[in-house]
């Protein structure tokens, strides 16, 4: 089956939305084969700029309707009657005012799935507030000043505003919306019924925060410096070096000419783990050495040694390179400015020949989610892969994570990384796939699963016997999702990569990092300082996995799914990326913490807020304060309390919100608690852990985030045929 047909072939989507969230969700579904009709107001056909070209790819048609008109609203209702998915991203209640309330549409058309993507959720006390991107991001913790302590490491800077131009709330909502409705379609195959689904932009950003938002009763050591950093080089550009795994540090130091004896004496694993002085000496040495040659020299040296490393680039620099153009992650599109290299489908699916349709498993009473009964095998490391399977566990799937003995891994962070968060709701099987019993244990796990998720390099998959060719012969009906760093084609395809490296390569870091920066700081210099690229990549992997499972249910065809960290990095900078674009930083006023004077962070007498005002609202506000220059506006707000400033903006017809710190999201008085968006799990090692919950709201098949990861011998022996803990092994060379 051709890729452009996809597992959602024949699924009809009606998209009534604007900006990014709604159209992006529809585009992701079109990438998977759905037939999309996008409704826009009369006279507002999408402009042929780069972002609109991306959002219009695939089977997307544009239809002009004025939904405030009774006749056009009735035409939209008629279209909904013959639609599988309706997507809208207005404020709660707006569609109802036009006679198109989601609950009424689902009642009238029982197989319809309605996805709502409001700025704030319908049960959020701020639901009526204008959902400007910056207002939402400020309210959800995105713009809080950078934390001085994150993951146990040193981070820079530790103060000041934290504005970032990335439209993360919209992109995450669109991606999570695509995941949510695909899950609802699987449930519809089982039940025959559609439902209402809601993913607000505010709640979706919680997924971008991810493990950064966890609060431990007894703090856990998460990170020890082993050379990873952002270093200034001789040509005054920077290099991102990721040597979290000690073997990567050994390879890099060997490439620098260090002898084995010197490495062991000065930078051995046990030495660095035990000695702060040794870690500082290593930092000083790398800072000095890397300043002697251009960044490109060190990038080439590191890549030859197999080390995750990258020179700082703009998106234009990267997209014009053959290495990027040969991958499957970007494509050539026509815009009003001419042909451009732009992000292609972030989820790529290759379907097999016809097979036997998979009957949706019977839902057990303790698994209400849409994926109840489906079985997922997680063979991944660190964040993106485990995030994908954790999302599927939240949606009701049975997930087993095959892991090695953490004590056998020499790594600078606690293993498994953020275990209590990314492995929530999973069962853990520690197995050595390289020992004599490895193939049998591997085959038992594969035979149990409906889908496999991996994120090792292609050579590592071959060594473990879980590459595409092997699985095609031994497990032809298994859905296999592979998460990579730089896709599976091109000269970077075998490069080991982390999100920090990918962000540095693709221009995302160049758009967001505060300037100037010192050398030798910890590698995460992007703003906001959260693992958002890892988590978005995990969402894309989950979307592909669920779509592929739906394809098996509908047609029997199995699938191989690929997505890459670069796909997430491209999506996160949608409005700015492209070889004909200068990027946000080049076009913005350098010292302005915002997109414009009317959409920006601004100080009040009590601290930072974000204001968002359309043209007429901005005029009303500036009339009230006596002028619209930057100096006049800043002086007026600095004389007001936060409450007074927010009231002034609201009275002018805009939206405003104080800048919320991430740590405040989990506070006892947080509204997230009463809305069910905080999850508490009990860890034998760290006590009560409060973490951010799943933002997807289903009307029929509620999400139920799982408990602390479980290593249950009895369950695994009964259902999979292996014990939870086998003999200790070594980590695959990822």
């Amino acid at each position: 089956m051709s890729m452009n047909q996809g597992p959602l072939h024949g699924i009809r989507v009606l998209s009534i939305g604007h900006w990014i969230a709604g159209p992006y969700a529809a585009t992701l579904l079109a990438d998977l084969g759905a037939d999309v009709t996008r409704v826009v107001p009369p006279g507002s056909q999408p402009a042929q700029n780069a972002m609109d070209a991306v959002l219009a790819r695939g089977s997307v048609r544009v239809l002009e309707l004025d939904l405030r008109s009774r006749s056009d609203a009735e035409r939209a209702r008629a279209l909904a009657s013959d639609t599988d998915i309706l997507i809208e991203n207005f404020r709660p209640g707006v569609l109802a005012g036009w006679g198109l309330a989601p609950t009424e549409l689902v009642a009238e058309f029982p197989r319809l799935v309605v996805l709502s993507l409001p700025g704030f959720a319908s049960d959020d006390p701020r639901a009526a507030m204008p959902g400007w991107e910056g207002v939402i991001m400020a309210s959800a913790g995105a713009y809080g000043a950078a934390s001085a302590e994150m993951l146990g490491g040193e981070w820079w800077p530790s103060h000041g505003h934290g504005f970032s131009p990335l439209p993360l709330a919209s992109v995450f909502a669109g991606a999570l919306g695509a995941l949510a409705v695909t899950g609802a379609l699987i449930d519809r195959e089982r039940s025959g019924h559609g439902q209402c689904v809601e993913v607000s932009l505010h709640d979706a950003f919680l997924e971008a925060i991810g493990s950064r938002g966890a609060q431990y009763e007894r703090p856990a050591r998460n990170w020890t410096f082993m050379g990873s950093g952002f270093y200034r080089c001789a040509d005054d550009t920077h290099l991102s070096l990721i040597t979290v795994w000690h073997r990567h540090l050994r390879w890099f130091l060997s490439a620098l000419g260090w002898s084995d004896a010197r490495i062991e004496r000065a930078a051995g694993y046990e030495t660095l783990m035990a000695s702060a002085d040794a870690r500082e000496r290593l930092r000083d040495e790398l800072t000095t050495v890397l300043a002697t040659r251009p960044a490109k020299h060190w990038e080439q040296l590191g890549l030859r040694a197999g080390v995750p490393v990258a020179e700082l680039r703009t998106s234009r620099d990267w997209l014009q390179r053959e290495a990027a153009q040969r991958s499957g992650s970007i494509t050539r599109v026509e815009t009003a400015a001419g042909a451009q290299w732009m992000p292609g489908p972030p989820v790529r699916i290759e379907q097999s020949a016809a097979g036997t349709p998979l009957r949706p498993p019977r839902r057990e009473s303790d698994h209400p989610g849409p994926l109840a009964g489906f079985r997922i095998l997680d063979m991944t490391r660190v964040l993106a892969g485990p995030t994908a399977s954790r999302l599927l566990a939240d949606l009701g799937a049975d997930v087993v994570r095959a892991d090695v003995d953490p004590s056998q891994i020499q790594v600078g962070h606690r293993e498994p990384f953020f275990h209590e968060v990314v492995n929530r709701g999973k069962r853990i099987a520690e197995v050595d796939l390289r020992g004599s019993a490895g193939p049998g244990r591997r085959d038992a796990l594969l035979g149990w699963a409906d889908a496999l998720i991996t994120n090792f390099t292609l050579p590592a998959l071959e060594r473990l016997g879980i590459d595409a060719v092997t699985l095609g012969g031994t497990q032809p009906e298994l859905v296999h999702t592979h998460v990579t760093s730089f896709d599976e084609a091109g000269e970077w395809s075998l490069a080991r990569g982390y999100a920090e490296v990918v962000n540095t390569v693709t221009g995302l870091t160049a758009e967001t990092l505060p300037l100037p920066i010192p050398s030798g700081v910890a590698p995460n210099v992007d703003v906001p300082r959260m693992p958002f690229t890892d988590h978005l990549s995990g969402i894309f992997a989950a979307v592909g996995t669920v779509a592929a499972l739906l394809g098996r249910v509908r047609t029997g065809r199995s699938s191989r799914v690929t997505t890459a960290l670069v796909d997430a990095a491209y999506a996160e900078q949608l409005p700015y990326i492209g070889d004909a674009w200068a990027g946000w930083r080049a076009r913005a006023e350098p010292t302005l913490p915002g997109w414009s004077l009317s959409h920006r962070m601004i100080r009040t007498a009590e601290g930072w807020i974000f204001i968002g005002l359309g043209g007429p609202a901005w005029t009303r506000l500036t009339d009230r304060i006596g002028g619209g220059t930057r100096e006049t506006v800043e002086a007026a707000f600095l004389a007001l309390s936060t409450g007074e400033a927010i009231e002034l903006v609201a009275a002018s017809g805009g939206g405003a919100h104080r800048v919320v710190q991430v740590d405040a999201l989990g506070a006892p008085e947080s509204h997230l608690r009463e809305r069910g968006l905080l999850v508490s799990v009990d860890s034998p090692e760290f006590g009560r852990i409060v973490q951010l919950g799943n933002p997807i709201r289903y009307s029929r098949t509620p999400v139920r985030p799982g408990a602390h990861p479980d290593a249950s011998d009895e369950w695994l022996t009964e259902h999979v045929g292996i014990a939870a803990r086998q003999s200790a092994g070594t980590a695959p060379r990822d």
Side-chain angles (χ1 to χ4, degrees):
M1 188 174 188
S2 63
M3 177 182 164
N4 61 2
Q5 209 167 0
L8 298 191
H9 178 66
I11 296 296
R12 291 154 299 187
V13 178
L14 182 63
S15 174
I16 307 174
H18 53 282
W19 184 222
I20 293 176
Y24 191 55
T27 297
L28 292 174
L29 299 177
D31 291 341
L32 298 169
D35 184 9
V36 175
T37 298
R38 181 178 170 187
V39 173
V40 300
S44 63
Q45 287 276 341
Q48 283 304 299
N49 59 34
M51 185 177 76
D52 284 319
V54 171
L55 296 178
R57 69 179 175 232
S59 303
V60 178
R61 292 185 304 276
V62 176
L63 176 65
E64 293 188 359
L65 291 178
D66 181 0
L67 298 180
R68 293 168 296 186
S69 157
R70 180 181 296 275
S71 60
D72 279 6
E74 285 303 314
R75 187 177 176 191
R77 178 183 294 275
L79 290 171
S81 70
D82 194 34
T83 292
D84 298 286
I85 300 168
L86 186 149
I87 300 173
E88 61 94 7
N89 64 335
F90 298 99
R91 275 180 276 176
V94 169
L95 275 194
W98 296 335
L100 298 169
T103 53
E104 294 177 3
L105 291 174
V106 171
E108 185 175 355
F109 313 120
R111 289 182 58 82
L112 178 65
V113 175
V114 177
L115 170 64
S116 296
L117 300 166
F120 295 97
S122 54
D123 64 345
D124 192 302
R126 300 159 296 187
M129 183 182 295
W132 297 109
E133 184 86 27
V135 172
I136 293 163
M137 295 272 281
S139 71
Y143 298 152
S147 174
E149 184 175 348
M150 178 181 170
L151 314 185
E154 296 176 2
W155 299 84
W156 177 92
S158 59
H159 60 278
H161 72 77
F163 175 75
S164 170
L166 305 179
L168 296 178
S170 288
V171 172
F172 269 77
L176 284 164
L179 171 63
V181 296
T182 310
L185 291 179
I186 281 191
D187 177 76
R188 191 180 72 170
E189 294 289 330
R190 175 165 37 203
S191 68
H193 297 290
Q195 58 183 308
C196 293
V197 187
E198 183 181 78
V199 183
S200 75
L201 274 65
H202 171 278
D203 297 351
F205 185 77
L206 303 182
E207 192 62 46
I209 297 172
S211 39
R212 170 70 176 88
Q215 298 180 3
Y216 290 73
E217 182 179 357
R218 295 191 291 274
R221 179 197 66 79
N222 282 314
W223 189 75
T224 300
F225 176 78
M226 287 191 178
S228 290
F230 203 71
Y231 296 93
R232 183 182 291 116
C233 301
D235 53 351
D236 203 32
T237 187
H238 286 77
L239 185 84
S240 179
L241 172 68
I242 307 297
T243 49
V244 176
W245 292 72
H246 190 259
R247 66 173 181 272
H248 296 161
L249 175 62
R250 287 200 310 270
W251 298 346
F252 193 71
L253 295 178
S254 293
L256 292 181
W258 286 35
S259 67
D260 290 344
R262 182 186 178 190
I263 293 173
E264 188 58 35
R265 181 179 65 255
Y269 176 71
E270 297 298 339
T271 299
L272 293 176
M273 292 296 289
S275 171
D277 288 341
R279 296 193 293 269
E280 285 308 306
R281 286 192 295 271
L282 175 63
R283 188 197 306 272
D284 291 343
E285 176 83 8
L286 289 172
T287 301
T288 299
V289 170
L290 294 176
T292 64
R293 304 290 291 271
K296 189 179 304 298
H297 170 82
W298 301 121
E299 179 184 85
Q300 293 170 351
L301 180 143
L303 291 176
R304 286 195 300 269
V307 178
V309 61
E311 174 193 5
L312 179 67
R313 293 177 173 88
T314 66
S315 64
R316 177 184 292 180
D317 290 340
W318 173 247
L319 293 181
Q320 288 178 341
R321 294 173 181 263
E322 185 180 354
Q325 295 170 8
R326 289 180 58 194
S327 76
S329 294
I330 66 172
T331 185
R332 198 75 167 166
V333 299
E334 292 295 330
T335 72
Q340 295 192 48
W341 286 102
M342 292 297 294
V347 180
R348 295 169 288 281
I349 294 184
E350 299 175 6
Q351 292 190 296
S352 67
T356 304
L358 175 67
R359 183 183 298 275
R362 182 172 61 89
R363 180 184 292 114
E364 302 293 339
S365 59
D366 59 342
H367 286 289
L371 301 186
F374 285 91
R375 298 166 296 185
I376 311 298
L377 175 59
D378 173 355
M379 300 181 76
T380 64
R381 309 295 308 166
V382 195
L383 286 181
T387 293
S389 57
R390 188 261 301 160
L391 287 167
L392 303 185
D394 284 351
L395 269 59
D398 291 324
V399 179
V400 169
R401 175 177 169 84
D403 210 347
V404 297
D405 182 351
S407 67
Q408 304 299 306
I409 302 174
Q410 291 188 338
V411 66
H413 53 66
R414 184 172 54 87
E415 270 289 302
F417 194 46
F418 276 118
H419 175 60
E420 301 78 19
V421 178
V422 297
N423 291 325
R424 182 179 74 205
K426 305 177 191 178
R427 303 182 191 275
I428 309 300
E430 287 182 9
V431 294
D432 178 7
L433 297 180
R434 295 186 167 196
S436 59
R441 293 168 182 158
R442 175 201 63 206
D443 292 344
L445 289 164
L446 293 173
W448 168 84
D450 297 312
L452 165 69
I453 303 176
T454 62
N455 67 347
F456 302 129
T457 61
L458 293 175
L461 295 182
E462 292 174 1
R463 288 193 296 270
L464 294 172
I466 51 176
D467 57 286
V469 173
T470 301
L471 291 177
T474 62
Q475 302 285 341
E477 294 190 331
L478 183 72
V479 169
H480 178 199
T481 297
H482 185 211
V483 185
T484 73
S485 296
F486 293 96
D487 197 40
E488 294 184 347
E491 64 185 81
W492 284 67
S493 61
L494 298 182
R496 295 173 176 86
Y498 288 78
E500 293 86 355
V501 167
V502 168
N503 291 347
T504 302
V505 163
T506 60
L508 186 149
T509 297
E511 290 289 342
T512 64
L513 63 84
L515 295 173
I517 63 173
S519 185
V521 297
N524 185 347
V525 295
D526 307 313
V527 179
R529 282 183 173 77
M530 299 161 185
F532 50 85
T533 296
D534 279 305
H535 284 267
L536 183 59
S537 183
I539 296 171
F540 286 151
V543 170
T545 303
V546 177
L549 288 172
L550 178 62
R552 275 214 63 199
V553 169
R554 297 178 69 213
T555 68
R557 299 177 188 272
S558 189
S559 300
R560 187 170 188 272
V561 182
T562 58
T563 188
L565 289 171
V566 291
D567 294 304
Y570 295 153
E572 288 156 350
Q573 44 185 327
L574 260 183
Y576 316 113
I577 195 168
D579 60 7
W581 288 64
W584 171 80
R585 186 181 291 281
R587 292 182 287 113
E589 186 178 342
T591 61
L592 182 71
W595 292 285
S596 67
L597 288 178
S598 59
H599 290 270
R600 56 163 295 181
M601 290 176 64
I602 194 166
R603 279 188 183 276
T604 71
E606 297 173 340
W608 289 98
I609 67 172
F610 193 97
I611 60 173
L613 301 100
W618 176 249
T619 299
R620 288 190 290 270
L621 183 141
T622 55
D623 286 345
R624 292 179 183 219
I625 63 176
T629 67
R630 178 172 178 177
E631 293 75 14
T632 300
V633 173
E634 290 181 348
F637 275 84
L638 195 58
L640 300 174
S641 69
T642 293
E644 290 169 339
I646 292 174
E647 288 180 8
L648 170 65
V649 175
S652 301
H657 204 286
R658 66 181 178 87
V659 172
V660 174
Q661 301 296 322
V662 171
D663 292 344
L665 295 174
E669 67 276 11
S670 170
H671 69 90
L672 297 181
R673 189 176 301 276
E674 63 187 52
R675 296 181 54 233
L677 285 168
L678 291 179
V679 177
S680 295
V681 300
D682 291 316
S683 163
E685 187 175 2
F686 304 112
R688 178 61 56 92
I689 302 171
V690 178
Q691 53 189 273
L692 302 174
N694 193 296
I696 298 173
R697 301 290 187 89
Y698 287 108
S699 62
R700 289 190 58 258
T701 56
V703 168
R704 182 178 295 174
H708 188 73
D710 179 23
S712 171
D713 285 281
E714 182 178 344
W715 189 93
L716 285 163
T717 301
E718 177 183 353
H719 293 272
V720 184
I722 64 170
R725 295 179 183 272
Q726 305 285 357
S727 60
T730 57
R733 297 171 69 87
D734 63 338

